Amino acid sequence: MTEPRGLQAQGQPARYADLAAKARAGQWSAADDIDWRRPPRLPLWVTGDQARAAISQLYHGEIATSRMCRTLLDDFPPGPARQCLEFQIADETRHAEAYERYLVALSGIAAMDQHLAWALEAASRGPAGPLGTMVAFHVVVEGEVLRVQDSLARLLPCPLLRQINRRVARDEARHVAFGRLYLTEALVDLSAEARCQLYGWLHGLWRRTTERAVSESVSSGTARRLLRAWLSGGWSHHQAALRQIGLGPDADWGRAA
Ligand SMILES: [Fe+2]
Ligand SMILES: [Fe+2]
């Protein structure tokens, strides 16, 4: 597969400028804009260790995403698209700080889940160079973070966590909009074959990650079936997002170079 180094697609500067302006206006402080006087409040059926383990994965995901965005900076010339990326780095760093503060109140950060670690590492070594990495993080990893946040909000109705998640989700919606705009343009430069390979790689990465998570899950019976259903629901979610940027068997192949 040819490896497009330059992420040059920036044919709609006004739309990037609009997103960058929204990002500038939407900056907030993890220290000052969250009411840290409230302690975390967990339901009776969730232990502090279980909550810590789950929320720590959001923290590790934020750190990994901010690191990935930094690696892309060299491929973005100065301009509004680069500003969007710079604001995203500031956002992800702030999200990690907010989750870290919450976790400290829950007695500390737990280790990264081995399946998440494996998936993040694999996602940063995909085909199509930085473009493939950007698709993996902006569509699959960020999409997954939003799904986990949503599930956690239902399992852990903690007002402090809800306040953090609400602010984080607003920023993430901008990242999704940026990723969609940018990637839709950039992927047009890939041949149909290269796009097909990229889609196959993403699907394989997703399948291997979920198979590992289910097979090594300590739960059994109903819990394992629920985990499998939750995970497999994720792919149809990502598939729809990939279709919107021109990837997948039923995407708009007419735009292929
Ligand atoms: Fe984030
Ligand atoms: Fe994000």
Side-chain angles (χ1 to χ4, degrees):
M1 181 189 288
T2 51
E3 188 173 291
R5 272 301 305 173
L7 294 169
Q8 299 297 335
Q10 295 178 45
Q12 304 182 70
R15 294 184 65 187
Y16 293 109
D18 183 47
L19 277 175
K22 284 186 180 137
R24 186 176 292 110
Q27 293 299 296
W28 52 278
S29 158
D32 303 330
D33 293 322
I34 302 287
D35 185 2
W36 296 108
R37 290 167 305 175
R38 322 187 218 198
R41 217 173 61 203
L42 301 180
L44 289 174
W45 57 90
V46 176
T47 67
D49 279 352
Q50 287 170 330
R52 217 162 60 81
I55 296 158
S56 292
Q57 306 319 310
L58 292 176
Y59 164 80
H60 293 302
E62 299 289 0
I63 299 269
T65 309
S66 115
R67 201 172 291 148
M68 182 281 302
C69 289
R70 281 196 179 90
T71 69
L72 293 178
L73 270 179
D74 285 347
D75 293 291
F76 278 73
R82 184 185 168 99
Q83 283 170 6
C84 290
L85 190 63
E86 288 168 342
F87 277 120
Q88 182 171 349
I89 293 169
D91 293 342
E92 311 295 14
T93 306
R94 187 174 57 244
H95 300 168
E97 186 192 339
Y99 286 125
E100 182 178 4
R101 282 172 176 264
Y102 185 88
L103 287 161
V104 166
L106 272 183
S107 78
I109 300 168
M112 192 192 287
D113 175 87
Q114 55 168 331
H115 307 299
L116 177 65
W118 182 85
L120 291 174
E121 162 64 16
S124 59
R125 284 182 287 102
L131 189 55
T133 301
M134 196 172 166
V135 176
F137 273 85
H138 269 83
V139 180
V140 182
V141 174
E142 297 232 73
E144 206 50 33
V145 165
L146 288 172
R147 263 172 32 92
V148 170
Q149 266 184 1
D150 193 53
S151 297
L152 278 179
R154 274 177 275 121
L155 282 168
L156 301 174
C158 164
L160 176 58
L161 185 62
R162 200 179 302 139
Q163 199 189 6
I164 298 169
N165 281 343
R166 208 178 296 133
R167 285 203 174 260
V168 168
R170 220 174 289 154
D171 295 342
E172 297 301 349
R174 275 199 321 272
H175 304 166
V176 168
F178 167 59
R180 192 172 294 167
L181 174 63
Y182 193 86
L183 291 167
T184 304
E185 278 191 276
L187 287 165
V188 171
D189 292 334
L190 284 192
S191 66
E193 187 199 352
R195 279 201 266 175
C196 195
Q197 261 181 292
L198 180 53
Y199 180 83
W201 169 72
L202 286 163
H203 194 189
L205 177 64
W206 172 260
R207 216 178 38 235
R208 283 197 302 280
T209 307
T210 53
E211 276 165 9
R212 285 163 62 110
V214 171
S215 71
E216 291 170 29
S217 160
V218 287
S219 323
S220 60
T222 308
R224 189 182 287 232
R225 277 197 298 280
L226 283 172
L227 176 64
R228 188 184 291 280
W230 190 86
L231 289 171
S232 63
W235 181 249
S236 47
H237 175 89
H238 302 315
Q239 207 174 15
L242 290 169
R243 196 183 300 126
Q244 288 182 345
I245 59 169
L247 281 182
D250 49 357
D252 181 6
W253 292 100
R255 290 173 308 159

